[in-house]
Amino acid sequence: MPAQAHQARVPGEAWHDSLWHSSPPGSIYDYIKVASFSIGPDGLVDQWSLRAEELFGLTAAQVVGRDPVEAFMPPELREGGHRRVAEILDGKEWTGLVPFRIPGGNGAHGVAEIYVMPTQTETAERAALCVVVDVRALRRIESDLAASQAIFGQSPFGFLLFGTDLTVQRANRRFATVFGGAVEEHRGRTVHDYLPPQEAERMTEALRRVLETGEAVTDLRITGAAPGRRENRHWSINLYRVHGASGRPVGVAGIGTDVTRRHLAAREAAGVRRNLALLNEAGHRIGNSLDLETTARELLHVTVPGFCDLAAVDLYQGLLLGDDDRPARPQGPGVPSLPPGQRNGRAPSAPLRRVAFASAVSDAPLSGAGAAVAVGETHRYPAASPGALALRTARPRIIEGGGPDDLVQSTLVVPMVAHDTVVGLAQFSRTKGSEPFGERDRAVAVELAARAAVCIDNARLYRREHERALILQRSLLPPGDPEAAGLDIACRYLPGNAATEVGGDWFDVIELPGHRTALVVGDVMGRGLRAAVAMGELRTAVRTLALLDLEPAEVLTALDEIARGLGVPGGSQQASRAALHSRDADRSEVYLATCVYAVYDPVTRRCTIANAGHMPPVLVEPPEPGAPPRPALLLEVPPGMPLGVGGEPFEEVEIDLPEGALLALYTDGLVESRDHPLEEGLRGLREALADPVRPLEDVCDHVLNTLDTRHGEDDIALLMARVQGLPVEAVGDWQLPREARSVGRARELARAKLPAWGLEGLLDTTELLVSELVTNALRYGEGEIRLRLLLDRTLVCEVWDGNLVQPRRRRARDTDEGGRGLQLVGMLSAGWGTRRTHRGKTVWFELPLPGEEGDPTPELSAEQLLNMYG
């Protein structure tokens, strides 16, 4: 009986009143539109509820006291209706569908489901209580309940309904299938009965938040294992709050979807993306340096911590020292080459050095593949160890597990193979708590190690070629600090090719007879090893020509011929013939070079310079006492054509260099750049040389630091010489008449000069050799004779005459009375020679000073004397 009707019949009972106030509106009766009325013993309506007024649209005043059949039923159904009412009043219950006409004049009809229950009045008369339900609302509720049951019961997803106390009120069949038991057995359980503690707490917190705030939770990821299973499953949980008819929260509904496969696929895809990103980063970061140790560290920077927690790289000791003797090709199909001590498969591995180590969790060395090894330490892997097996087979190995106190739980030992050659071993380790290595990780590690190995092998090859190039370059430049009589020398060389450190620029300081010095600076057009080789040939040619003591212009002329033949197998003559035939000329390789050749005489402080297309020398004269520094000057030396062009003569100029003057020879890389014109570079050089008083080495550094040399674009050679000259007291110079007594006069001059220099020990030898040279000048020469003694690091004696014919050393016959003078000079002196001058020739010899190179006056053996006189 509805609450309204019940309240009307027993208004005085307290518990009914309490029930009414404690039950909020919005119950199921409100949804199904339950109405009631009663029929008295006379068959007329005697009570009419408010719900009946809403359902039928008639007030109690309009209905009470009327026949219900006449009031509601259509005329054609009234006869049957009266019969039913009579049966009801006789005490028979009845339930059925009754069509009714909705009053109001619009002719609308409806169907009501009526529950008729016989009653008795206080006087024991029969009456009836009728409960009426609108069939349309009832069918709608039945449809909703059926749909709800279908969704809940037939859903392929796990479905739970939690009460306000967060216990399970209802579970569907799918949930019971996954977690076991019947559906009814899950009632009253909590999430702690299904999930691990940590995940259960997360789920409980989410349920409580949804119940309190009403905000739904979507795609809450929960991980746990179903009962009786070990593998973890992954679920996506959606939670939303459920309300009653009155709008009051009655619980939380939860839908769970098994997303384990999706999770694994996503993790797989994430792993692939991570590995691709790792390989991409490796391509950018590994191999940026041509240094073995740096490349190894770059590998670890890429892999730690993105790929592993700890990593180390070991390289063969022989590879690092440059004496690796492994064969270039493998010993068999698919077998990389190994060090000799490791090829038998039983001996321990060749010595390796740990060159890099990185850790994201601890500074402790690796211990997963052998004993702990510090960076820089040399070690060997035992023959049966995973490291030795990986090196021997060139195949990676995964080492799983470890002791309870071991930090590492999984290690990948990967040999580093480049060009079928094992260069070292890389170890990647993951600590406990990280995911162990899998097959995909193995493939990634092999790829990373291979990339690093190729870069390391390239670095090894570069180091070898770099050392060879350095040896070549050093062999082509003057060793140490060049020294020259009467000159203070400083020089710098900067190759333009930073990769090989060799180039086509060169400088040289060549000692000439008479304490003279040749200063040479040249530049072969081009860069790299090709230019360096051509430069070496030209430098050797310059030194050979300098031994002939030719004038600077003559040296450049001969050098030009040599340069023209560098690119042709047949030499300069073949180059000249090829120039007549354009086809052969096109095939020949052209070598062009510029060069400046200067000869300085410390006695006269005069410098003779010839130029072959080179930059002009710079001269800075010393300032007068108390005066400001003098500006640097570009010497006006006819430039001539570059070497290798041919056909044009070279000119030379003579300049006097005052004491303390600074002469600078250089290549165009010092003053020429793409960023500024040549004139600006020359002006900068002159300004940098404005203070020649400072030490010469400091001047060189100041020039290189001041000028915008753009090192790396071109080679740079810089040669500076500060004039000191020989003091007057270190020179003896005499003119001798062309007569026989000049021989004795020459001996007297030498005997008088040497004691003043403290060279008494050289008197006999010098007197004998001077006598021989003056005698030859009288016998074979012309004009006046000039004798000159020069003292510097050695003693030099020069005898000049006007005859251009140069003497030559020959073996005298037994019957000859002469012809043995030059033989004697050659045996007793450290060196001797001849050179042409503008007005004749000069014959000279050189003696080492006492204490410089042993006994300055060697005695001739009997065998030497017999060779001279038969």
Side-chain angles (χ1 to χ4, degrees), residues 49-60:
S49 68
L50 296 178
R51 282 288 181 87
E53 290 184 5
E54 296 177 5
L55 179 62
F56 294 104
L58 297 173
T59 64

Side-chain angles (χ1 to χ4, degrees), residues 321-626:
L321 298 177
D323 57 357
D324 187 24
D325 60 350
R326 291 167 297 168
R329 295 183 179 181
Q331 300 301 300
V335 180
S337 62
L338 299 169
Q342 197 178 345
R343 294 176 192 145
N344 57 16
R346 295 184 299 274
S349 66
L352 296 104
R353 185 194 304 171
R354 177 145 298 174
V355 296
F357 172 79
S359 171
V361 295
S362 174
D363 293 332
L366 288 174
S367 58
V373 179
V375 174
E377 184 177 344
T378 302
H379 66 102
R380 296 174 183 265
Y381 285 104
S385 66
L389 293 175
L391 288 171
R392 189 159 54 246
T393 61
R395 292 185 177 88
R397 291 178 174 269
I398 298 180
I399 307 171
E400 298 291 352
D405 299 330
D406 195 356
L407 177 68
V408 175
Q409 73 156 345
S410 182
T411 299
L412 262 173
V413 182
V414 185
M416 306 178 70
V417 183
H419 308 123
D420 293 328
T421 300
V422 178
V423 300
L425 188 73
Q427 295 184 52
F428 308 102
S429 294
R430 291 179 179 173
T431 58
K432 293 181 178 178
S434 300
E435 185 176 358
F437 288 114
E439 289 303 318
R440 182 179 295 102
D441 297 320
R442 182 202 297 258
V444 172
V446 170
E447 177 66 21
L448 291 172
R451 292 192 181 192
V454 170
C455 295
I456 288 175
D457 197 52
N458 291 340
R460 176 183 66 86
L461 296 175
Y462 162 75
R463 175 180 291 184
R464 185 182 65 185
E465 297 303 322
H466 179 251
E467 292 176 352
R468 293 177 179 178
L470 286 180
I471 294 174
L472 171 63
Q473 187 72 55
R474 290 166 184 164
S475 67
L476 299 178
L477 295 175
D481 297 327
E483 296 181 356
L487 292 177
D488 184 14
I489 302 293
C491 52
R492 295 289 187 274
Y493 174 79
L494 298 177
N497 190 336
T500 60
E501 295 193 12
V502 295
D505 291 14
W506 89 93
F507 65 89
D508 210 343
V509 178
I510 307 172
E511 294 186 21
L512 299 177
H515 289 312
R516 294 173 304 130
T517 303
L519 305 176
V520 188
V521 171
D523 182 3
V524 176
M525 297 183 184
R527 298 172 62 181
L529 196 59
R530 172 181 175 274
V533 172
M535 174 267 285
E537 296 188 49
L538 292 178
R539 177 179 178 270
T540 303
V542 170
R543 281 191 160 265
T544 302
L545 294 172
L547 294 178
L548 300 177
D549 209 353
L550 303 176
E551 296 296 328
E554 295 176 335
V555 171
L556 294 185
T557 300
L559 199 62
D560 177 61
E561 290 293 328
I562 295 173
R564 292 177 63 195
L566 288 180
V568 180
S572 58
Q573 294 183 355
Q574 182 66 27
S576 300
R577 289 193 294 268
L580 300 177
H581 303 85
S582 59
R583 180 179 302 176
D584 294 336
D586 293 339
R587 296 176 182 174
S588 62
E589 191 172 11
V590 178
Y591 287 84
L592 297 178
T594 63
C595 182
V596 60
Y597 187 91
V599 175
Y600 171 69
D601 189 339
V603 179
T604 61
R605 294 189 180 89
R606 178 167 295 178
C607 186
T608 306
I609 307 175
N611 191 351
H614 201 77
M615 305 301 297
V618 177
L619 176 64
V620 186
E621 296 184 355
E624 297 291 338

Side-chain angles (χ1 to χ4, degrees), residues 10 67 93 118 165 205 230 248 301 322 402 408 413 527 534 615 634 665 672 759 822 863:
V10 284
D67 186 345
E93 292 186 0
D165 59 352
E205 180 62 28
R230 293 184 177 180
R248 183 182 61 177
H301 291 163
V408 175
V413 182
R527 298 172 62 181
M615 305 301 297
L634 296 177
L665 306 179
E672 193 173 23
L759 300 179
L822 292 182
E863 183 179 357

Side-chain angles (χ1 to χ4, degrees), residues 1 3-17:
M1 185 174 184
Q4 298 94 327
H6 199 63
Q7 183 186 24
R9 285 182 177 273
V10 284
E13 295 188 12
W15 71 274
H16 285 291
D17 188 61

Side-chain angles (χ1 to χ4, degrees), residues 21 32 43 52 103 213 258 314 345 353 416 425 575 605 638 653 661 667 762 765 800 852:
H21 288 291
I32 63 178
T213 65
D258 191 337
D314 299 326
R353 185 194 304 171
M416 306 178 70
L425 188 73
R605 294 189 180 89
V653 296
T667 56
L762 298 181
T765 303
W800 298 1
E852 293 292 328

Side-chain angles (χ1 to χ4, degrees), residues 169 177 196 290:
Q169 301 298 313
T177 301
L290 288 174

